[in-house]
PDB file of all heavy atoms in Angstrom:
ATOM      1  N   SER E  98     -11.645  -9.336  -1.834  1.00 80.00           N
ATOM      2  CA  SER E  98     -11.273 -10.285  -0.790  1.00 80.00           C
ATOM      3  C   SER E  98     -10.244  -9.657   0.152  1.00 80.00           C
ATOM      4  O   SER E  98      -9.333  -8.952  -0.265  1.00 80.00           O
ATOM      5  CB  SER E  98     -10.779 -11.589  -1.417  1.00 80.00           C
ATOM      6  OG  SER E  98      -9.413 -11.718  -1.289  1.00 80.00           O
ATOM      7  N   MET E  99     -10.473  -9.854   1.448  1.00 78.00           N
ATOM      8  CA  MET E  99      -9.572  -9.306   2.477  1.00 78.00           C
ATOM      9  C   MET E  99      -9.180 -10.455   3.388  1.00 78.00           C
ATOM     10  O   MET E  99      -9.636 -10.537   4.527  1.00 78.00           O
ATOM     11  CB  MET E  99     -10.297  -8.210   3.275  1.00 78.00           C
ATOM     12  CG  MET E  99     -10.711  -7.012   2.443  1.00 78.00           C
ATOM     13  SD  MET E  99     -11.866  -5.894   3.276  1.00 78.00           S
ATOM     14  CE  MET E  99     -10.945  -5.376   4.710  1.00 78.00           C
ATOM     15  N   PRO E 100      -8.319 -11.340   2.901  1.00 70.00           N
ATOM     16  CA  PRO E 100      -8.081 -12.588   3.629  1.00 70.00           C
ATOM     17  C   PRO E 100      -7.636 -12.353   5.068  1.00 70.00           C
ATOM     18  O   PRO E 100      -6.718 -11.585   5.320  1.00 70.00           O
ATOM     19  CB  PRO E 100      -6.948 -13.264   2.840  1.00 70.00           C
ATOM     20  CG  PRO E 100      -6.854 -12.519   1.563  1.00 70.00           C
ATOM     21  CD  PRO E 100      -7.448 -11.169   1.755  1.00 70.00           C
ATOM     22  N   GLY E 101      -8.340 -13.019   5.975  1.00 67.00           N
ATOM     23  CA  GLY E 101      -7.927 -13.003   7.374  1.00 67.00           C
ATOM     24  C   GLY E 101      -8.210 -11.701   8.101  1.00 67.00           C
ATOM     25  O   GLY E 101      -7.879 -11.559   9.265  1.00 67.00           O
ATOM     26  N   MET E 102      -8.828 -10.735   7.445  1.00 69.00           N
ATOM     27  CA  MET E 102      -8.996  -9.430   8.073  1.00 69.00           C
ATOM     28  C   MET E 102     -10.255  -9.383   8.936  1.00 69.00           C
ATOM     29  O   MET E 102     -10.362  -8.611   9.857  1.00 69.00           O
ATOM     30  CB  MET E 102      -9.086  -8.327   7.006  1.00 69.00           C
ATOM     31  CG  MET E 102      -7.803  -8.113   6.264  1.00 69.00           C
ATOM     32  SD  MET E 102      -6.469  -7.697   7.375  1.00 69.00           S
ATOM     33  CE  MET E 102      -5.252  -8.866   6.847  1.00 69.00           C
ATOM     34  N   MET E 103     -11.239 -10.212   8.569  1.00 72.00           N
ATOM     35  CA  MET E 103     -12.495 -10.136   9.316  1.00 72.00           C
ATOM     36  C   MET E 103     -12.810 -11.485   9.952  1.00 72.00           C
ATOM     37  O   MET E 103     -12.028 -12.407   9.888  1.00 72.00           O
ATOM     38  CB  MET E 103     -13.608  -9.666   8.382  1.00 72.00           C
ATOM     39  CG  MET E 103     -13.404  -8.225   7.957  1.00 72.00           C
ATOM     40  SD  MET E 103     -14.696  -7.639   6.895  1.00 72.00           S
ATOM     41  CE  MET E 103     -14.445  -8.605   5.442  1.00 72.00           C
ATOM     42  N   ASP E 104     -13.987 -11.563  10.563  1.00 77.00           N
ATOM     43  CA  ASP E 104     -14.235 -12.680  11.475  1.00 77.00           C
ATOM     44  C   ASP E 104     -15.028 -13.841  10.882  1.00 77.00           C
ATOM     45  O   ASP E 104     -15.809 -13.683   9.954  1.00 77.00           O
ATOM     46  CB  ASP E 104     -14.960 -12.158  12.700  1.00 77.00           C
ATOM     47  CG  ASP E 104     -14.031 -11.303  13.554  1.00 77.00           C
ATOM     48  OD1 ASP E 104     -12.806 -11.491  13.407  1.00 77.00           O
ATOM     49  OD2 ASP E 104     -14.512 -10.471  14.315  1.00 77.00           O
ATOM     50  N   THR E 105     -14.810 -15.006  11.476  1.00 83.00           N
ATOM     51  CA  THR E 105     -15.483 -16.243  11.108  1.00 83.00           C
ATOM     52  C   THR E 105     -15.904 -16.960  12.381  1.00 83.00           C
ATOM     53  O   THR E 105     -15.142 -16.988  13.349  1.00 83.00           O
ATOM     54  CB  THR E 105     -14.481 -17.174  10.377  1.00 83.00           C
ATOM     55  OG1 THR E 105     -14.180 -16.600   9.117  1.00 83.00           O
ATOM     56  CG2 THR E 105     -15.042 -18.552  10.160  1.00 83.00           C
ATOM     57  N   ILE E 106     -17.104 -17.525  12.394  1.00 90.00           N
ATOM     58  CA  ILE E 106     -17.536 -18.342  13.544  1.00 90.00           C
ATOM     59  C   ILE E 106     -18.051 -19.680  13.004  1.00 90.00           C
ATOM     60  O   ILE E 106     -18.871 -19.707  12.089  1.00 90.00           O
ATOM     61  CB  ILE E 106     -18.643 -17.629  14.354  1.00 90.00           C
ATOM     62  CG1 ILE E 106     -18.100 -16.301  14.893  1.00 90.00           C
ATOM     63  CG2 ILE E 106     -19.129 -18.487  15.519  1.00 90.00           C
ATOM     64  CD1 ILE E 106     -18.774 -15.112  14.364  1.00 90.00           C
ATOM     65  N   LEU E 107     -17.545 -20.766  13.569  1.00 90.00           N
ATOM     66  CA  LEU E 107     -17.941 -22.109  13.116  1.00 90.00           C
ATOM     67  C   LEU E 107     -18.776 -22.812  14.191  1.00 90.00           C
ATOM     68  O   LEU E 107     -18.737 -22.450  15.358  1.00 90.00           O
ATOM     69  CB  LEU E 107     -16.694 -22.965  12.850  1.00 90.00           C
ATOM     70  CG  LEU E 107     -15.686 -22.397  11.847  1.00 90.00           C
ATOM     71  CD1 LEU E 107     -14.465 -23.319  11.772  1.00 90.00           C
ATOM     72  CD2 LEU E 107     -16.314 -22.244  10.473  1.00 90.00           C
ATOM     73  N   ASN E 108     -19.503 -23.851  13.762  1.00 92.00           N
ATOM     74  CA  ASN E 108     -20.277 -24.715  14.674  1.00 92.00           C
ATOM     75  C   ASN E 108     -21.382 -23.969  15.415  1.00 92.00           C
ATOM     76  O   ASN E 108     -21.798 -24.378  16.500  1.00 92.00           O
ATOM     77  CB  ASN E 108     -19.369 -25.368  15.741  1.00 92.00           C
ATOM     78  CG  ASN E 108     -18.334 -26.279  15.118  1.00 92.00           C
ATOM     79  OD1 ASN E 108     -18.574 -26.856  14.058  1.00 92.00           O
ATOM     80  ND2 ASN E 108     -17.188 -26.416  15.755  1.00 92.00           N
ATOM     81  N   LEU E 109     -21.842 -22.880  14.838  1.00 95.00           N
ATOM     82  CA  LEU E 109     -22.872 -22.110  15.532  1.00 95.00           C
ATOM     83  C   LEU E 109     -24.184 -22.888  15.515  1.00 95.00           C
ATOM     84  O   LEU E 109     -24.545 -23.503  14.505  1.00 95.00           O
ATOM     85  CB  LEU E 109     -23.037 -20.744  14.868  1.00 95.00           C
ATOM     86  CG  LEU E 109     -23.935 -19.750  15.597  1.00 95.00           C
ATOM     87  CD1 LEU E 109     -23.336 -18.349  15.565  1.00 95.00           C
ATOM     88  CD2 LEU E 109     -25.337 -19.715  15.014  1.00 95.00           C
ATOM     89  N   GLY E 110     -24.878 -22.863  16.647  1.00 95.00           N
ATOM     90  CA  GLY E 110     -26.128 -23.632  16.790  1.00 95.00           C
ATOM     91  C   GLY E 110     -26.005 -24.655  17.905  1.00 95.00           C
ATOM     92  O   GLY E 110     -26.998 -25.198  18.377  1.00 95.00           O
ATOM     93  N   LEU E 111     -24.772 -24.921  18.327  1.00 95.00           N
ATOM     94  CA  LEU E 111     -24.598 -25.867  19.429  1.00 95.00           C
ATOM     95  C   LEU E 111     -24.994 -25.214  20.751  1.00 95.00           C
ATOM     96  O   LEU E 111     -24.730 -24.034  20.971  1.00 95.00           O
ATOM     97  CB  LEU E 111     -23.142 -26.337  19.503  1.00 95.00           C
ATOM     98  CG  LEU E 111     -22.761 -27.417  18.493  1.00 95.00           C
ATOM     99  CD1 LEU E 111     -21.260 -27.695  18.545  1.00 95.00           C
ATOM    100  CD2 LEU E 111     -23.551 -28.712  18.736  1.00 95.00           C
TER     101      LEU E 111
END
Side-chain angles (χ1 to χ4, degrees):
S98 107
M99 297 167 60
M102 292 302 129
M103 292 181 293
D104 290 338
T105 291
I106 299 116
L107 304 176
N108 297 331
L109 188 139
L111 281 173

